[in-house]
Amino acid sequence: MHLILVSIVLITTLITELAARQDWLPYWQTRKILHIIAVGACAVATFHIDRELLTWIVAGAEVLLLVLILTNQLMREESGRRAWGIIWFPLAFLVLLISPTPRPVIAFSMWVLALCDPAATIVGKLCARKTYNLTGDEKSLIGSLAFAGSFLLLSLLFFLPVQFSVAPEDAHDYFSVVQLIGWPGILGMAVILATGESLGSKGLDNLIVPLLTAWLWLGVDAGQYALLLPLILGGALFSWWMVSRGSLTAGGALTASLLGIAVVIGSHSFLWLLPLFLFLFSSSLIGRLFPATTAAGDAKQKLPRDATQVLANGGYFGYLAMFSWPSEDLLYLIMPTTEVWLITAMAIATADTWSSEIGQYFKWPTYDLIKWRKVSPGLSGGISWPGTLAGFLGSCFIVISCFWVIPYQNPNLLGIIVAGGFLGMLIDSVIGSLFQAKYRDLKTGALSDTPGPNTELASGFSWATNDLVNFIAILVGVTIVDALLTIV
């Protein structure tokens, strides 16, 4: 079976590539034909090929595709950019295969990507009069509705044993996904997945859709499905408010809403929205109270936060809330590590944001933390006394406001989290100094984090953006705090 499926995919790839180059079909049509065949083959293979063998096949295919993309031997987008979308779906498939996800859930997740994503594109291309742009790629409302509608249809037609139900009763019968999960859950999943697809640009929807589908099936308890639609309504109101007050872009607001839904479902509590809200509103308030702009700062400074910024500051927090709760662990009763990680993550994000805003407002002498030479306020890697103090206060603010959520508190633990938040801010400056891209103006020689037409890369790496540095600093800071918990 694996030889048949591989042959079908390879033949389809060659035919669609030829059709695209010879202009026999519009480019987007050849892409979607290949998408349906290749991803559909993955869904079929889930049931008919040994899981270990399939994992190795997909891993090898992923490496081969990556080489072909990097060497420009495989399709490029109509815009001329590399077709990264064809890289993301095998990676999603590989993650699902390596994880303990049941085969039927993997197959269903891949069928959602194989059929619903093309439905959104086809309907959008043929019927949409207006489009919107959340994260870079053009999407359409009617395309999103087509995604949701095709998901509902697939949920009615995809059958599997009832043991995969959220409330199994008879393991010998087969039911549709709608019967297993129920209409409230399916409708909520349809809206969330359509939103996730609309936020995916540069092919990232090929990664988002299958992974999010599997999590919504396995990560949501039976009683939580009834919460999905109310949570979606709350997220819609939150998004409207954040966009109207200029705090978030539309893409940033929707990303924050999905993040909030994931946190509530993963933690089984609304309490863990508190650190996110405190970070968002305190950072917005600090920016309004201490307005400052510098030529050296990031181009996104003082603009509404976009989806990438939301994920850079809250993505790891969301991951921890979704996947890091222990089920049965006696040591957890002594040291509630997940709660500590969560508060530390937001303490780092808040400390870094407060320090940046305050440091640029007061414009005191600013020095590169590693090279210890004077730099312009706002340049990555730079620290000043007002900014450093503000960072410490930001960490204290989050910890004092949220510490009561942690069971079995003790003063030492509070001090560790405050120190972790402050240390994470310093780590951000260290990484920013060593790796973040800095550009030199060819006329004035001034350094800046923002590239421009008359600038050249002076140090760092072009891919090392401020958002990436923020994410890594939070990840490293939480890891250090976790190590301290084992020592203290």
Side-chain angles (χ1 to χ4, degrees), residues 296 364-369 373-383 447:
W364 278 35
T366 304
Y367 296 89
D368 186 289
L369 184 58
R373 64 186 182 195
K374 195 170 183 179
V375 296
S376 301
L379 190 70
S380 58
I383 62 170
L447 292 177

Side-chain angles (χ1 to χ4, degrees), residues 2-17 34 37-38 41 61 64-65 68 74:
H2 63 279
L3 293 177
I4 295 174
L5 292 174
V6 170
S7 299
I8 291 173
V9 173
L10 288 177
I11 292 172
T12 305
T13 301
L14 294 174
I15 293 175
T16 52
E17 177 73 0
L34 177 59
I37 297 298
L64 176 61
L65 287 171
L68 292 175
L74 204 60

Side-chain angles (χ1 to χ4, degrees), residues 15-96:
I15 293 175
T16 52
E17 177 73 0
L18 180 62
R21 294 187 177 185
Q22 298 296 325
D23 292 326
W24 294 342
L25 288 173
Y27 181 82
W28 68 271
Q29 291 184 11
T30 64
R31 289 292 312 281
K32 289 307 164 185
I33 291 172
L34 177 59
H35 178 99
I36 294 171
I37 297 298
V39 183
C42 292
V44 172
T46 304
F47 287 114
H48 297 285
I49 300 178
D50 176 75
R51 189 160 184 160
E52 183 177 355
L53 175 61
L54 182 58
T55 301
W56 282 108
I57 292 174
V58 175
E62 176 72 4
V63 173
L64 176 61
L65 287 171
L66 183 60
V67 171
L68 292 175
I69 291 292
L70 292 175
T71 57
N72 294 319
Q73 298 300 310
L74 204 60
M75 295 184 172
R76 297 178 70 88
E77 301 281 0
E78 287 177 291
S79 61
R81 75 187 184 196
R82 291 187 173 97
W84 291 111
I86 203 170
I87 294 294
W88 295 122
F89 90 79
L91 178 60
F93 190 35
L94 186 61
V95 170
L96 293 175

Side-chain angles (χ1 to χ4, degrees), residues 136-418:
D137 286 358
E138 294 294 326
K139 307 283 184 173
S140 66
L141 178 59
I142 192 171
S144 297
L145 291 175
F147 184 102
S150 59
F151 174 80
L152 296 178
L153 181 61
L154 178 62
S155 300
L156 283 169
L157 299 177
F158 190 89
F159 283 76
L160 69 168
V162 76
Q163 61 259 38
F164 297 102
S165 169
V166 295
E169 295 176 358
D170 186 353
H172 300 290
D173 294 325
Y174 283 76
F175 291 91
S176 70
V177 176
V178 171
Q179 291 173 305
L180 295 176
I181 293 178
W183 275 112
I186 289 298
L187 291 172
M189 289 175 67
V191 175
I192 291 173
L193 289 171
T195 304
E197 189 277 336
S198 70
L199 289 167
S201 293
K202 299 180 180 178
L204 274 173
D205 48 343
N206 289 348
L207 179 68
I208 295 170
V209 169
L211 295 183
L212 187 55
T213 301
W215 180 78
L216 285 170
W217 191 330
L218 299 176
V220 181
D221 294 340
Q224 292 180 309
Y225 281 113
L227 279 176
L228 288 184
L229 291 177
L231 286 173
I232 291 168
L233 177 59
L237 294 174
F238 168 81
S239 297
W240 172 81
W241 185 39
M242 288 289 99
V243 173
S244 64
R245 70 194 303 267
S247 297
L248 297 172
T249 66
L254 289 175
T255 302
S257 296
L258 292 184
L259 179 64
I261 292 172
V263 168
V264 171
I265 296 298
S267 66
H268 294 77
S269 172
F270 286 89
L271 286 178
W272 288 104
L273 292 178
L274 179 63
L276 288 172
F277 281 127
L278 290 176
F279 161 72
L280 179 61
F281 292 124
S282 68
S283 300
S284 178
L285 181 61
I286 290 290
R288 293 176 186 272
L289 292 177
F290 301 96
T293 57
T294 63
D298 185 73
K300 296 181 180 180
Q301 185 183 4
K302 300 303 178 183
L303 296 176
R305 293 176 181 268
D306 60 22
T308 306
Q309 290 172 297
V310 170
L311 290 176
N313 288 286
Y316 190 52
F317 182 94
Y319 171 83
L320 293 173
M322 292 166 68
F323 300 110
S324 298
W325 298 98
S327 53
E328 295 180 5
D329 189 348
L330 292 177
L331 293 178
Y332 186 75
L333 299 177
I334 302 173
M335 179 59 66
T337 51
T338 301
E339 288 91 339
V340 173
W341 295 339
L342 289 167
I343 295 181
T344 301
M346 278 300 99
I348 294 172
T350 305
D352 179 64
T353 302
W354 282 31
S355 66
S356 178
E357 296 286 352
I358 297 296
Q360 292 180 68
Y361 176 78
F362 283 99
K363 293 183 174 61
W364 278 35
T366 304
Y367 296 89
D368 186 289
L369 184 58
I370 297 299
K371 302 163 187 172
W372 205 248
R373 64 186 182 195
K374 195 170 183 179
V375 296
S376 301
L379 190 70
S380 58
I383 62 170
S384 66
W385 280 112
T388 303
L389 177 60
F392 176 75
L393 294 177
S395 180
C396 291
F397 168 73
I398 289 293
V399 175
I400 293 173
S401 300
C402 302
F403 192 65
W404 60 273
V405 181
I406 303 178
Y408 323 113
Q409 305 100 328
N410 64 74
N412 290 337
L413 190 58
L414 185 148
I416 289 174
I417 303 174
V418 170

